[in-house]
Amino acid sequence: MDTLKLLTKLTQINCVSGNEKEIKEYIKSETEKYCSEIYTDAMGNLVARKQGDGKKIMFAAHMDEIGIIVTDIDDKGFVLFAAVGGLNTRNLVNLRVCFSNGTEGVIGAREDAFKDKPALSKLYIDIGADSRESALALVSIGDTATFKGECIQRGDKVISKALDNRAGCAVLIEALSRIEKNDNDLYFVFTVQEEVGLRGAKTAAFAIEPDVAVAVDVTDTGDTPDAPIMAVKMGKGAAVKIMDRSVICDAEVRTKMIETARNHNIPYQLEIMTDGGTDAGAIHLTRAGVKTGGISVPTRYIHSPSEMASIKDIENCVDLVYNLAVAVW
Ligand code: CO
Ligand code: ZN
């Protein structure tokens, strides 16, 4: 499969947390041919299983993305909104957003929004409506929207909205498509509602009861001007997670990842992310605990319409996930 083509398809589907239906249908259509069983659980997680007699191994990638949700519409037709997931209000003004029904708008800011970091209550979305009635014909309270952000390739880099975490979804889809023979009982889980608190992964891990779990997501990098101190660099390989704010990864799983990367000449780097968490955080605390690790795609400008990652890093992550899936545990 062509990684860029897959990423273009995955990133341009708009599915904010809690509204993952469309992205799920697409991922299902891409994965069902490779697995022995595919189902959706009560939370909405998509579980693609490739049955085996060995250890139960769960790979998880969240398929939701951050966005906004309509809270009210004012008399003039301006749309008021709240955040779904972690929005950086500094970056929002004058951005275009797109609702599921195709309605587009521009985020505007009130005069006094900029004293500090603007509060969301100082921002609104202008969808070009002249009145509350005409706005209500286009959007209702509870509708969600995401950033617009085309998927483009520049050299070996890709720039798009929603690389967090459609890059992780692409890694799982590609790794799954490569597996011809497996002893392990493999669960490739595309989780819902990660961006609002790792919610889907929690119920999926409870139901599956894996022996080992690996969450695949994006991570920040420390390689842009004045970036916070962080060893991870874009283009330097798959990031093997040691710790983030939600998890300290299991030492055995981490060692297994490093050995697997070395044995197969897969470029890798070690990740400590001091901001933010991933599904690994929820999974490792399920039931009596799950041995959990994390693999990350180094990504710049996370949670913006222009996230940037290296296609080589993504391919290295695919290699690592594939080799872990078929390894003896
Ligand atoms: Co995120
Ligand atoms: Zn993510």
Side-chain angles (χ1 to χ4, degrees):
M1 212 180 305
D2 177 338
T3 305
L4 185 74
K5 236 162 119 185
L6 181 60
L7 278 174
T8 304
K9 195 74 199 170
L10 287 167
T11 56
Q12 299 306 302
I13 295 172
N14 294 332
C15 285
V16 174
S17 314
N19 292 276
E20 293 91 350
K21 189 163 176 275
E22 205 185 322
I23 184 75
K24 174 161 51 194
E25 271 160 19
Y26 177 69
I27 293 176
K28 187 173 176 217
S29 73
E30 281 298 321
T31 50
E32 59 193 349
K33 47 188 175 283
Y34 307 120
C35 53
S36 48
E37 186 188 359
I38 191 157
Y39 57 90
T40 299
D41 69 10
M43 280 291 286
N45 300 301
L46 178 70
V47 182
R49 182 179 183 197
K50 210 164 159 69
Q51 207 174 340
D53 303 321
K55 286 265 168 62
K56 223 189 246 184
I57 303 183
M58 167 177 169
F59 294 96
H62 73 86
M63 55 184 169
D64 60 315
E65 67 187 289
I66 58 160
I68 63 90
I69 186 162
V70 177
T71 51
D72 201 359
I73 295 166
D74 77 9
D75 294 338
K76 298 194 185 94
F78 293 108
V79 176
L80 311 179
F81 64 97
V84 181
L87 285 182
N88 184 350
T89 52
R90 253 189 263 272
N91 298 337
L92 293 180
V93 179
N94 301 342
L95 286 188
R96 289 192 210 174
V97 294
C98 187
F99 289 87
S100 330
N101 66 2
T103 299
E104 291 185 7
V106 181
I107 298 182
R110 291 164 214 270
E111 201 42 46
D112 57 348
F114 293 101
K115 283 182 197 141
D116 279 309
K117 182 176 169 177
L120 274 187
S121 60
K122 297 293 179 192
L123 308 180
Y124 54 84
I125 300 167
D126 190 342
I127 53 173
D130 300 321
S131 66
R132 184 173 161 89
E133 285 64 45
S134 57
L136 276 168
L138 296 168
V139 303
S140 343
I141 291 165
D143 281 1
T144 55
T146 57
F147 306 131
K148 293 193 61 166
E150 202 191 340
C151 184
I152 56 168
Q153 184 179 3
R154 287 291 174 271
D156 59 359
K157 310 298 188 302
V158 60
I159 303 170
S160 179
K161 72 178 264 285
L163 285 176
D164 175 11
N165 183 33
R166 305 295 158 63
C169 293
V171 168
L172 258 52
I173 294 170
E174 292 215 36
L176 175 61
S177 75
R178 257 196 232 174
I179 300 167
E180 275 166 9
K181 206 183 132 321
N182 58 296
D183 292 323
N184 298 318
D185 197 7
L186 302 173
Y187 290 80
F188 287 77
V189 184
F190 300 89
T191 65
V192 296
Q193 300 188 31
E194 188 269 353
E195 296 289 2
V196 289
L198 323 178
R199 295 177 190 167
K202 189 173 171 180
T203 61
F206 189 95
I208 292 168
E209 280 194 87
D211 296 303
V212 175
V214 176
V216 182
D217 206 331
V218 298
T219 186
D220 286 325
T221 65
D223 58 358
T224 52
D226 293 330
I229 294 168
M230 190 172 176
V232 173
K233 292 185 175 61
M234 184 173 66
K236 295 290 175 200
V240 171
K241 190 185 288 292
I242 295 177
M243 187 178 96
D244 63 29
R245 253 172 37 195
S246 68
V247 68
I248 298 169
C249 290
D250 179 82
E252 277 173 51
V253 176
R254 197 178 70 213
T255 305
K256 182 85 172 172
M257 285 180 180
I258 292 170
E259 281 172 8
T260 305
R262 284 194 183 142
N263 292 340
H264 295 88
N265 295 317
I266 302 165
Y268 74 95
Q269 46 190 330
L270 299 177
E271 171 205 336
I272 293 175
M273 181 168 71
T274 50
D275 252 342
T278 65
D279 277 343
I283 297 168
H284 84 297
L285 296 177
T286 307
R287 288 187 185 260
V290 176
K291 288 184 175 299
T292 303
I295 295 174
S296 312
V297 177
T299 304
R300 293 178 179 171
Y301 321 118
I302 291 178
H303 287 193
S304 84
S306 304
E307 300 175 334
M308 184 190 293
S310 147
I311 295 176
K312 279 190 206 145
D313 287 342
I314 294 172
E315 284 165 355
N316 291 325
C317 289
V318 174
D319 269 350
L320 187 52
V321 167
Y322 166 78
N323 283 295
L324 286 169
V326 298
V328 180
W329 283 80

